Amino acid sequence: MSNDQHVVIGGGGGFIGGHLAADLLRQGYTNIRCIDIKPFDEWHQVHDGVENLQLDLSEKGNCYEACDGADEIYQLAADMGGMGFIELNKAKCMLSVLITTHMLMAARDRGVKRFFYSSSACVYAQDKQTSEDIVALKEADAYPADAEDGYGWEKLFTERMCRHFREDFGLETRVARYHNVYGPDGSWEGGREKAPAALCRKIIHAKATGDHDMEIWGDGKQTRSFMYIDDCLKGTQMLLHGDVTEPLNVGSNELVTIDQLVDIVQEIAGIKLNRHYNLDAPKGVNGRNSDNTKIKAYFDWEPNIRLRDGMAKTYAWIHDQYMAKYGATASSA
């Protein structure tokens, strides 16, 4: 695929969208449009050489403006966050269905060639995720449907809508089920951050203040896999430009418990903390991992950046952000 394509990134002011725009610029793309509802000073990254628009993509007219002249669309825009956010904002998460509905309609009517939708591992049936000792989730495990309430149901419904726009209208839709994407330039405080960033912040705070007590949501035994942003970007573009029309897992299969993730961050930080487990906090399902059989069969590739390596880069970035914001006050606490 040539890099003179007109590419639109819905949610371009978000974590993944900002990294995607940077990656496309590195590849020499010259016609990129990023759209996000947030004011520009709240975007995770703002790039020169990109058409940046502040628009609410839940509004149909804005989606037609966003898709005007587009060849390819990466639809990443959604109202979402980590488990603490999605468990407490189910209606907000489900309203994201308006964004992709209107983006699909606009893409169809504007003659867009390819449309990527970022789905989630939250589509998977909850009865397959009740134990920490899990079998990795295959794509077929989304049915019979019993998705994560709110956010997961919105993602699963929208996957089906993408399929039917392809079948009924010929719009080439592609769907990835992301598994816990993390890395620098993401949310690290404020309530929308995910576990890797939240744990980095807590450990950095402990080290800066000398308060060596930290709270962990759940019992620490929950199992997850975490995918570094660079792997996410590669898998995303591979799917959009490939011929696979079914939803595919895009996630690491390096399974860890939350306690093991804490171990990794503590080792990076050079500190050991006293762990206190909050069993009443949102913690999600007990076990979840990505079965990568299909993506390996189709593309001879799977996400492969080691968690320890990705967390070292993420920790360093969050450390700099934390110290720039709180350094003086933290050290005097």
Side-chain angles (χ1 to χ4, degrees):
M1 194 64 68
S2 68
N3 57 12
D4 61 353
Q5 299 288 300
H6 187 183
V7 179
V8 169
I9 304 174
F15 165 51
I16 299 173
H19 278 285
L20 177 60
D23 192 54
L24 293 173
L25 286 169
R26 283 192 293 270
Q27 295 176 51
Y29 282 78
T30 57
N31 200 353
I32 303 168
R33 178 183 297 147
C34 287
I35 305 103
D36 207 285
I37 192 173
K38 296 186 289 292
F40 292 123
D41 62 0
E42 295 179 16
W43 286 32
H44 290 259
Q45 299 183 54
V46 179
H47 300 287
D48 294 331
V50 171
E51 182 187 5
N52 297 307
L53 301 177
Q54 184 191 348
L55 295 172
D56 180 357
L57 292 179
S58 68
E59 298 290 338
K60 184 178 177 182
N62 290 339
C63 292
Y64 279 79
E65 180 180 347
C67 295
D68 190 34
D71 296 305
E72 299 177 350
I73 292 173
Y74 292 92
Q75 187 354 49
L76 310 172
D79 202 348
M80 58 85 68
M83 191 53 60
F85 179 83
I86 67 175
E87 283 202 5
L88 300 174
N89 294 276
K90 294 184 176 68
K92 263 190 174 183
C93 289
M94 293 202 78
L95 283 170
S96 293
V97 73
L98 293 173
I99 299 173
T100 312
T101 300
H102 292 147
M103 286 292 281
L104 282 165
M105 294 170 71
R108 175 197 62 191
D109 296 344
R110 292 289 194 240
V112 170
K113 298 182 180 70
R114 299 230 162 190
F115 186 103
F116 173 87
Y117 175 63
S118 57
S119 187
S120 165
C122 290
V123 303
Y124 285 114
Q126 294 181 85
D127 66 359
K128 298 184 186 300
Q129 304 172 78
T130 57
S131 171
E132 298 89 359
D133 300 319
I134 59 149
V135 175
L137 293 161
K138 298 179 184 295
E139 283 79 0
D141 290 331
Y143 297 95
D146 182 25
E148 178 89 37
D149 200 11
Y151 179 72
W153 277 106
E154 183 272 325
K155 290 293 188 184
L156 191 61
F157 172 83
T158 308
E159 285 188 8
R160 302 293 287 195
M161 187 159 50
C162 288
R163 169 182 165 179
H164 296 313
F165 265 72
R166 177 175 51 79
E167 293 172 339
D168 293 359
F169 305 123
L171 176 60
E172 287 293 339
T173 56
R174 302 292 185 265
V175 176
R177 291 176 181 163
Y178 290 157
H179 288 248
N180 296 312
V181 188
Y182 75 99
D185 289 294
S187 296
W188 57 278
E189 64 174 353
R192 291 181 185 258
E193 65 276 17
K194 296 185 178 181
L199 293 176
C200 285
R201 185 200 70 242
K202 289 178 180 181
I203 290 172
I204 291 163
H205 177 76
K207 195 169 182 179
T209 61
D211 179 358
H212 287 190
D213 291 308
M214 75 174 294
E215 181 183 80
I216 296 173
W217 288 6
D219 60 10
K221 297 176 183 177
Q222 314 98 282
T223 49
R224 294 289 189 278
S225 64
F226 299 94
M227 173 173 56
Y228 190 65
I229 182 63
D230 290 1
D231 275 337
C232 175
L233 299 177
K234 182 168 183 176
T236 294
Q237 293 170 71
M238 193 180 292
L239 257 68
L240 179 67
H241 297 140
D243 297 326
V244 181
T245 57
E246 62 186 292
L248 289 184
N249 283 331
V250 179
S252 168
N253 64 4
E254 184 183 348
L255 187 68
V256 293
T257 66
I258 296 301
D259 267 337
Q260 288 171 332
L261 181 59
V262 175
D263 290 341
I264 289 170
V265 183
Q266 286 189 153
E267 190 257 319
I268 292 167
I271 193 172
K272 284 202 172 184
L273 303 180
N274 305 313
R275 305 179 192 190
H276 302 280
Y277 298 94
N278 183 349
L279 303 183
D280 296 321
K283 72 179 186 70
V285 296
N286 288 324
R288 177 182 292 156
N289 195 14
S290 178
D291 185 304
N292 290 340
T293 303
K294 280 199 170 184
I295 197 167
K296 285 192 290 187
Y298 285 128
F299 295 104
D300 192 27
W301 176 85
E302 65 177 321
N304 53 29
I305 295 172
R306 288 195 322 137
L307 182 59
R308 173 63 174 75
D309 297 336
M311 287 303 296
K313 295 177 182 178
T314 305
Y315 179 91
W317 181 83
I318 295 174
H319 180 272
D320 289 346
Q321 300 299 305
Y322 179 95
M323 296 310 292
K325 185 171 183 179
Y326 298 115
T329 54
S331 60
S332 62

